[in-house]
Structure formats: C-alpha cells, structure tokens
C-alpha cells in the first residue's frame, strides 16, 4: 500500500488527535487548518499541491475549485453524504476527472433523536414557562408524530418516540413497507400527515423544500415543527405567517436549518446553533468511518 503524498483538511473536521496519528500510516504529509476558509480562492490556496483533502459540509467544493487543483485524487467528506445531488462537493465533476469522493452516514442519529425528545418533552409539559402544547401537561404517549423523510436520523427519532408510546406516521419519496410492518409506522401523503400531526419532524436531505403556505395552513395551530436537516424545509414567508398564529413552534439545531436569522427574534423559535448530532460519541463514530474510507482507498489504489 502506497501512501498519499499530502493530505490537507481545509477546515475544522472533528478529527481526533489519535486519528491524526493513525493517518500517518496512509499519508506522508498532513496539514490541518483550524479555521474556516473565507472564499473559494482561499480553499484553492489551502489545497495547493495536495493529492487528498478532508472537507466538511459548510463550503461548496465545485468545479471552479477542483479545476484549479490538478493533483487531487481523493476527497474525504468528514460529514454525511446522502446523495450526489445534495452534496456540497461536485461529485459528477470529480468522477469525470478521476477524483474519488467518499462520505459517511449514520454516525450522529442518536443525538438528533435525543434533541427532539428533550425539546418535545419540555413543550408537552410546559416546562419553559409557556402553556403546554396540547393545553394541559401531556406525555409523549399518544402524541401524533409526523416524520418528513424516513432515513437513518428519522428512524432514530421514530424509535425513540415510538418507544414512549407516540403514534408515528411518515411521508417520504419512497415507502418503507418493512418498517410499516415491523414497527407499525403509517405512511401518509403530505397533506394528510400535516393535518393529523401534533408534531412534525423534518429529517429531509439538504435543499429539499416541502412546506409552503398551503402546507402550513393544513398544519395549523397548536403544533410544533422540528427541523434537523442542513437547510430550511420551508418557504420563508410561509413559515413567518404560520409562526404568527396561535401556539405554533419551530425548533432547529443549526443556523443552516433556521432560514433567515430574523426568526431568532421570535419567542416561538428555538435554535441551539450547533448540530445536535455531533455528540462525543458521534465524533468517535465519524473518525472511525473517515479512517476506514481512507484506508480502503489506499489499499485499492496505486498512485
């Protein structure tokens, strides 16, 4: 197995010190930047003559960058890669130019479920000084939960809330009949799900928008919307009108999922400004998968 000549992490990527030591088995030179690049030009400058890079989800790595980095043969995404279409890396261009792109999945789902669970319990019980969501202090048992998407993180949310007696429905581009049969989840069309849910959890892929004025009208009052995706799942003006209504609540973990930051001024909007999935345990899982991807690439390629 030959080593990569030069690996550059163009931004903070949650790689632990012990993992950096492990990387020396695969790389002759390693550079980690501990700040975010401010422009595409700075990304190109940081990559320089490297043949491998680590990136996260916060910056677009498109053709205009890749075309200026002719030595690149490997891009390790230290973040979730759900699909080519939703990726911040131009995978199609990379593939056409012999650059391998790897990503990871299923490392931060437990934290997402705990984030939803923590905040939902508070609203159902009225623990934050506001009246309980459903008028009187309530348990999760019997709460009607609607999931937008049923990928790994949505399934983690469903398992956590289902274990406490919630009724789970979902809307997805593809049905999951095995989960319907095994777990009792109910598939609904979008309008039906919104109409019948007390709580809606959006776990959609990046840049997928499902909720417009018509959808929020169906969702109505006395409801909560959670969004743990890396982009808003709604049209901005539509959620503003919905949040003006009685007892409507919006929770998101990152600013990327918030929409316009003006929403933060609203009492019924809560954003913790950090990924709920990036727990201590999730970082350990992330490191393991990133290293496995790089080791596999080095074992299968001669460069």
């Amino acid at each position: 197995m030959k080593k990569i000549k030069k690996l550059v992490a163009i931004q903070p990527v949650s790689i632990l010190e012990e993992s950096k030591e492990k990387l020396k088995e695969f790389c002759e030179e390693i550079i980690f930047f501990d700040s975010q690049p401010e422009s595409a030009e700075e990304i190109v400058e940081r990559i320089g003559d490297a043949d491998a890079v680590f990136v996260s989800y916060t910056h677009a790595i498109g053709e205009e960058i890749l075309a200026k980095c002719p030595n690149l043969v490997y891009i390790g995404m230290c973040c979730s890669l759900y699909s080519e279409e939703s990726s911040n890396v131009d995978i199609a261009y990379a593939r056409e130019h012999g650059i391998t792109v790897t990503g990871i999945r299923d490392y931060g789902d437990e934290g997402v479920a705990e984030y939803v669970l923590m905040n939902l319990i508070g609203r159902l019980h009225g623990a934050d000084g506001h009246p309980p969501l459903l008028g009187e202090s309530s348990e999760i048992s019997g709460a009607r939960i609607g999931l937008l998407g049923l990928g790994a993180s949505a399934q983690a949310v469903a398992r956590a809330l289902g274990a406490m007696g919630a009724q789970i429905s979902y809307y997805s581009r593809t049905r999951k009949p095995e989960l319907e049969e095994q777990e009792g989840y109910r598939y609904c069309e979008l309008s039906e799900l919104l109409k019948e849910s007390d709580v809606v959890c959006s776990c959609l892929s990046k840049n997928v928008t499902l909720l417009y004025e018509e959808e929020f009208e169906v969702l109505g009052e006395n409801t909560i919307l959670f969004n743990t995706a890396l982009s808003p799942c709604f049209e901005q003006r539509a959620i503003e009108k919905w949040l003006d209504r009685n007892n409507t609540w919006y929770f998101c973990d990152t600013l990327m999922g918030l929409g316009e930051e003006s929403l933060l001024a609203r009492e019924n909007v809560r954003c913790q400004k950090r990924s709920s999935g990036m727990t201590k345990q999730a970082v350990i899982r992330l490191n393991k998968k990133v290293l496995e991807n790089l080791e596999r690439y080095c074992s299968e390629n001669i460069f």
Side-chain angles (χ1 to χ4, degrees):
M1 180 177 66
K2 290 190 176 181
K3 288 187 175 183
I4 286 172
K5 292 181 180 178
K6 183 177 181 180
L7 170 71
V8 175
I10 67 166
Q11 59 194 131
V13 289
S14 300
I15 298 298
L16 301 169
E17 289 303 318
E18 53 264 37
S19 297
K20 292 179 181 179
E21 287 298 313
K22 180 71 174 178
L23 285 171
K24 294 177 182 179
E25 297 180 17
F26 315 120
C27 308
E28 294 178 2
E29 181 182 1
I30 304 169
I31 298 175
F32 277 82
F33 285 92
D34 59 5
S35 62
Q36 296 289 351
E38 296 183 358
S39 65
E41 291 74 18
E42 186 173 358
I43 292 175
V44 171
E45 182 179 344
R46 289 186 177 191
I47 294 173
D49 61 352
D51 49 345
V53 296
F54 279 169
V55 302
S56 189
Y57 60 84
T58 55
H59 292 77
I61 312 296
E63 176 180 348
E64 72 283 0
I65 291 175
L66 298 178
K68 296 176 182 178
C69 303
N71 290 348
L72 269 185
V73 295
Y74 180 82
I75 299 174
M77 296 180 65
C78 303
C79 56
S80 297
L81 174 55
Y82 293 110
S83 68
E84 186 169 318
E85 295 74 24
S86 64
S87 174
N88 58 304
V89 176
D90 190 336
I91 296 176
Y93 179 90
R95 182 171 55 246
E96 291 170 3
H97 292 80
I99 303 170
T100 297
V101 180
T102 64
I104 57 176
R105 297 188 67 171
D106 306 341
Y107 62 93
D109 305 318
E110 291 79 1
V112 170
E114 291 183 2
Y115 167 77
V116 173
L117 188 64
M118 170 183 68
N119 287 288
L120 176 55
I121 289 172
R123 286 303 311 119
L124 288 174
H125 286 263
D128 54 4
H130 293 272
L133 178 73
L134 302 179
E136 55 186 324
S137 184
S138 302
E139 303 170 357
I140 288 177
S141 176
R144 301 175 300 173
I145 309 296
L147 297 169
L148 302 181
L150 198 59
S153 64
Q155 289 180 40
V157 172
R159 285 193 301 271
L161 299 183
M164 301 187 73
Q167 301 174 26
I168 307 296
S169 301
Y170 78 98
Y171 169 77
S172 176
R173 290 179 297 179
T174 56
R175 290 187 65 168
K176 305 289 194 299
E178 69 281 4
L179 292 176
E180 294 174 28
E181 181 178 352
Q182 296 168 11
E183 305 294 341
Y185 305 156
R186 186 168 68 98
Y187 175 82
C188 298
E189 293 297 335
L190 180 58
S191 60
E192 181 185 6
L193 179 139
L194 296 173
K195 181 179 181 180
E196 296 185 0
S197 296
D198 304 310
V199 180
V200 172
C201 301
S202 173
C203 304
L204 298 167
S205 297
K206 188 176 181 181
N207 299 325
V208 175
T209 302
L210 285 183
L211 304 181
Y212 299 87
E213 285 196 27
E214 180 179 349
E215 285 73 26
F216 278 114
E217 184 65 29
V218 175
L219 180 59
E221 300 179 340
N222 306 309
T223 50
I224 303 177
L225 172 62
F226 285 94
N227 180 28
T228 57
L230 295 177
S231 62
C233 59
F234 50 79
E235 190 274 324
Q236 184 69 30
R237 178 57 185 151
I239 195 171
E240 290 173 355
K241 290 182 65 175
W242 176 71
L243 288 167
D244 286 337
R245 301 184 65 178
N246 180 59
N247 199 22
T248 55
W249 295 84
Y250 179 51
F251 286 80
C252 63
D253 53 350
T254 71
L255 289 172
M256 295 182 70
L258 174 68
E260 295 183 8
E261 291 196 25
S262 58
L263 290 180
L264 292 173
R266 293 176 177 263
E267 179 64 23
N268 54 344
V269 173
R270 306 292 170 83
C271 178
Q272 67 178 21
K273 302 181 183 179
R274 57 183 173 81
S275 172
S276 57
M278 288 305 289
T279 60
K280 172 184 176 181
Q281 294 87 344
V283 171
I284 293 172
R285 291 190 289 266
L286 178 150
N287 275 250
K288 182 176 184 292
K289 294 188 176 191
V290 168
L291 288 173
E292 287 174 347
N293 281 343
L294 183 60
E295 182 175 12
R296 186 178 305 112
Y297 175 81
C298 291
S299 298
E300 296 174 354
N301 293 272
I302 300 174
F303 38 126

